[in-house]
Amino acid sequence: MSSQSPLLDHLLELRNRLLRSIIAVGIVFAVAATFADDLYHWLAAPMLASLPLGSSMIATDVATPFFTPFKLAFVVSIAIAVPYLLWQLWAFIAPGLYRKEKRLVVPLLASSTLLFYAGVAFAYFVVLPLALKFLAGAAPEGVTVATDISRYLDFVLTIFMAFGIAFETPIAIILLCWSGATSVTSLRRKRPYIIVGAFVVGMLLTPPDVISQTLLAIPMWLLFELGLLIAGLYRSEPKPEPEQNQD
C-alpha cells in the first residue's frame, strides 16, 4: 500500500497542474475572445493585401463567420499561455531531475519557447506575404481568387506550426548530443545530407512554391549550424565528472 502512495501523489499533482493550465488558457481565451474579429482581421491582412482589387475573402458555411474568429482566439490563447504551461510542466518534472539536468532544462524550455515564437513571427511577416502573393498571382486568367476564411485559417496555422517546429532545430540538436544519441562530429560529417533534408522538409511542409520552401529550408540549415555550435560548447565542458567520482 505504501508503494502506491508516491504514485497517487504524482497523479494528484499532475491533475492539479493540468487544471491550472486549463484555467490559465480559459482566462486568456475569455480576454482574447472579445478581440476575436480584430485578431482574424490581423491574421487575414497578408491575404487581403495579395488579392486583386475588388476581391475579398468569403465564407462558404453558415456558421463559419461566427466560429472561425473564435477558433483563432482559442489558438492565440494557447500560444500566449505557453510560458505558463511550460512552467507547470517544469514544476512537475523538476523533482525527478538531477542538479546538472535542471541547469540545462530551464534554458532549453525558455529558448524553445522563444524559438517557436520567432518561427511564427518569421512565417507571418516574411513567408506569408511572399507565398500568398505568388499563389494569388498564379491563378489562371479569368479565375477570381476568393479564399474561404476557414480554409485560410487552417492554411496559416499549418504554416505557423511548420515554421515554429522548424525553428526548434537547435534544441533538437542539443538534446540529441546531450543524450548521447549522436555527436557534434558525426552531425558535421552528415551536413550535406541534412541540408538536402531541410529542403525536402521545406517542400513537404510549405505551399507548392519555391519561395516558401526555400524560406523554410535556409533557416533550418542556419539553426542546425547554431545547434551544432551550442552543443559543441556544452559538450566541451564536462569538468565536474572527475570531482563527483572522488566523492
Side-chain angles (χ1 to χ4, degrees), residues 66-145:
F66 176 79
F67 284 112
T68 301
F70 284 103
K71 179 180 176 181
L72 173 60
F74 180 70
V75 174
V76 170
S77 303
I78 296 176
I80 293 174
V82 159
Y84 181 78
L85 301 181
L86 289 177
W87 181 75
Q88 290 295 325
L89 174 64
W90 162 248
F92 179 72
I93 66 173
L97 298 176
Y98 294 106
R99 187 178 302 172
K100 185 178 178 182
E101 293 173 333
K102 290 180 181 179
R103 270 188 262 129
L104 182 67
V105 169
V106 172
L108 284 180
L109 287 176
S111 56
S112 63
T113 304
L114 293 175
L115 284 170
F116 187 85
Y117 287 156
V120 171
F122 182 80
Y124 179 80
F125 291 106
V126 178
V127 178
L128 277 183
L130 294 173
L132 292 174
K133 190 170 290 186
F134 171 83
L135 293 173
E141 189 176 347
V143 174
T144 302
V145 178

